[in-house]
Amino acid sequence: MSPAPLDSPDLVRLLADGTRARVFAAVTLGARTAAEAAERSGLRPKEAAQVVRRLVDGGALAEGPEGLTVAYDRLREAARRPAAPAVDHGTGDAATEALLETFVRGGRLVRLPARWDRKRQVLRHIAERSFDFGVAYPERAVNDRLAAWCSQDAPVDHVTLRRYLVDLGHLERRDGVYRRPAGTSVTGLAS
């Protein structure tokens, strides 16, 4: 199975880690095995082997009969591919758009931010896009709407999202029925 096509942001994310960049550089400069990459990069062999696997799986390196090589064809292809246009999440705020661009891609939650202020913003966005004011939603409907934000391999599931939304006041729950409370603004996510 060949890795999915790289795009420029994928490549930047892949090589933004210093350890991965060191191993990539070692292979670029001639290391052909994980052991050689470990020696040239100053990493422990086990750590270098894990990094090599990540770079091969990510498409930056290739394994062939001569050993490890830089996947120049894939890198050239990524450089030629136009960058995907930025998605407008409709917030009207550049900082919030940048935040959402980091954590929401293709209408799916990539992960939740670690910082609570950012987590609240992302969760409010999900509530605003998923639920209307004053509408009663049975738990099954809430689960279905929130599951649409989660991919199978996402670090967050719909149950966790539901719990956060209730705990943060973006949804109210009474007798198994959920409502988005009045007073939670749809404009500007910064509060």
Side-chain angles (χ1 to χ4, degrees), residues 55-70:
L55 291 169
V56 169
D57 291 347
L61 296 180
E63 293 177 303
E66 294 86 36
L68 294 170
T69 59
V70 174

Side-chain angles (χ1 to χ4, degrees), residues 8-176:
S8 297
D10 289 338
L11 182 60
V12 169
R13 280 188 290 277
L14 187 63
L15 296 177
D17 176 77
T19 304
R20 288 193 296 257
R22 286 170 41 199
V23 170
F24 182 83
V27 172
T28 301
L29 295 173
R32 294 294 169 245
T33 66
E36 288 177 14
E39 183 179 320
R40 292 184 185 197
S41 64
L43 298 174
R44 292 185 323 271
K46 183 177 180 179
E47 183 180 13
Q50 291 171 337
V51 172
V52 163
R53 178 59 33 219
R54 174 69 180 96
L55 291 169
V56 169
D57 291 347
L61 296 180
E63 293 177 303
E66 294 86 36
L68 294 170
T69 59
V70 174
Y72 288 111
D73 54 338
R74 301 202 70 230
L75 299 179
R76 279 189 292 276
E77 178 185 318
R80 288 186 191 119
R81 187 174 299 116
V87 174
D88 182 6
H89 295 280
T91 66
D93 177 61
T96 302
E97 288 293 325
L99 174 70
L100 292 174
E101 184 68 26
T102 302
F103 296 101
V104 177
R105 291 198 197 108
R108 300 267 185 171
L109 182 65
V110 177
R111 67 183 190 283
L112 280 173
R115 286 183 34 195
W116 272 102
D117 58 330
R118 292 179 177 180
K119 191 177 293 188
R120 272 191 291 273
Q121 286 181 296
V122 170
L123 290 165
R124 182 176 297 161
H125 174 75
I126 290 171
E128 289 175 353
R129 295 298 183 263
S130 302
F131 306 102
D132 295 321
F133 289 116
V135 176
Y137 296 94
E139 188 166 306
R140 174 173 287 233
V142 171
N143 289 343
D144 290 345
R145 287 170 180 256
L146 295 178
W149 288 92
C150 306
S151 61
Q152 284 186 331
D153 59 345
V156 178
D157 63 5
H158 67 281
V159 175
T160 304
L161 286 179
R162 188 183 69 219
R163 186 177 316 118
Y164 277 136
L165 291 174
V166 171
D167 290 349
L168 293 172
H170 298 308
L171 284 180
E172 293 177 343
R173 175 180 52 213
R174 284 198 181 94
D175 300 323

